Amino acid sequence: MKNVHQPDWDRQNRTGFPEAIYCARKSADQINIIIEDAITRERPLFLTALTPETYQGLNGDNRAKLDYDPVSATGIVGKTGPLGPSGIGIIAAGTSDIPVATEAQRTLAFCGYDSTMIQDVGVAGLWRLLDRIEEVQKFRIIIALAGMEGALFSVLAGLVGAPVIAVPTSVGYGVTAGGRTALESALGSCSPGILSVNIDNGFGAAAAAIKILQSVAK
């Protein structure tokens, strides 16, 4: 498999987390080979940053065997099976954050964990969050997504006992363009209990939440 990413099929044994492939900058031909390798080995595989254009470039057999979601640009090889309860809540500030939130939710489902998503509760309309705060406070772990100034992270962490995994999103313009302001807001927050992943990294947030749950279960 010259010039093709070599999947790490032993990752799950070492880390408890199945192999995942970042598809950006990979050609459809390269991704075809990786998918076929997973199918041959009967190994689960998660694909991120798989654009609709690249997905359409895959061969027909692979497209038919791939659980593809264009909103989150993710694909799943293999069946996820019934989802078990996790106590993980995914809180999205705005509907513009839904693609990244869905990436997190799909990652959790790939690993067998159910989750609850709450959308459009950004602090510009704080009453929307407060209307659901009793539900939010029952989550064991919260994955919070926000762009612009990222104020949701600090507000949530000041209202709940669960750890908050902040996912800055690239939603914004002007000084908030690209998500850097939201990232700095998460890192600079004075509310205790906030962890942060990189901009638009719903996959990484879900992986962190899963590892926290697995550590607590041991």
Side-chain angles (χ1 to χ4, degrees), residues 4 15 34 43-44 53 62-63 94 97 121 158 162 178 186 202:
V4 175
T15 70
I34 295 170
R43 294 298 188 96
E53 293 78 15
N62 286 339
R63 288 201 308 272
D97 302 308
V121 289

Side-chain angles (χ1 to χ4, degrees), residues 143 165-168 183 186-187 195-206 208:
I143 297 174
I165 302 174
V167 186
L183 174 62
L187 295 174
L195 316 172
S196 184
V197 297
N198 205 357
I199 298 165
D200 290 338
N201 192 6
F203 168 82

Side-chain angles (χ1 to χ4, degrees), residues 81-210:
L83 303 183
S86 67
I88 299 175
I90 301 173
I91 314 296
T95 53
S96 296
D97 302 308
I98 296 306
V100 184
T102 305
E103 179 183 83
Q105 189 166 53
R106 294 254 301 168
T107 303
L108 292 169
F110 171 66
C111 294
Y113 294 93
D114 196 8
S115 60
T116 300
M117 187 185 300
I118 297 177
Q119 307 174 13
D120 200 23
V121 289
V123 299
L126 188 58
W127 58 269
R128 296 175 297 187
L129 176 62
L130 297 180
D131 279 351
R132 304 191 67 173
I133 196 61
E134 291 185 5
E135 178 184 4
V136 170
Q137 288 174 334
K138 293 178 182 178
F139 293 132
R140 297 174 62 192
I141 301 172
I142 291 174
I143 297 174
L145 303 99
M148 296 294 191
E149 80 293 343
L152 179 65
F153 309 136
S154 292
V155 171
L156 270 176
L159 293 173
V160 302
V164 174
I165 302 174
V167 186
T169 66
S170 53
V171 175
Y173 53 90
V175 297
T176 65
R180 185 59 184 261
T181 299
L183 174 62
E184 292 178 346
S185 176
L187 295 174
S189 174
C190 65
S191 292
I194 297 177
L195 316 172
S196 184
V197 297
N198 205 357
I199 298 165
D200 290 338
N201 192 6
F203 168 82
I210 289 168

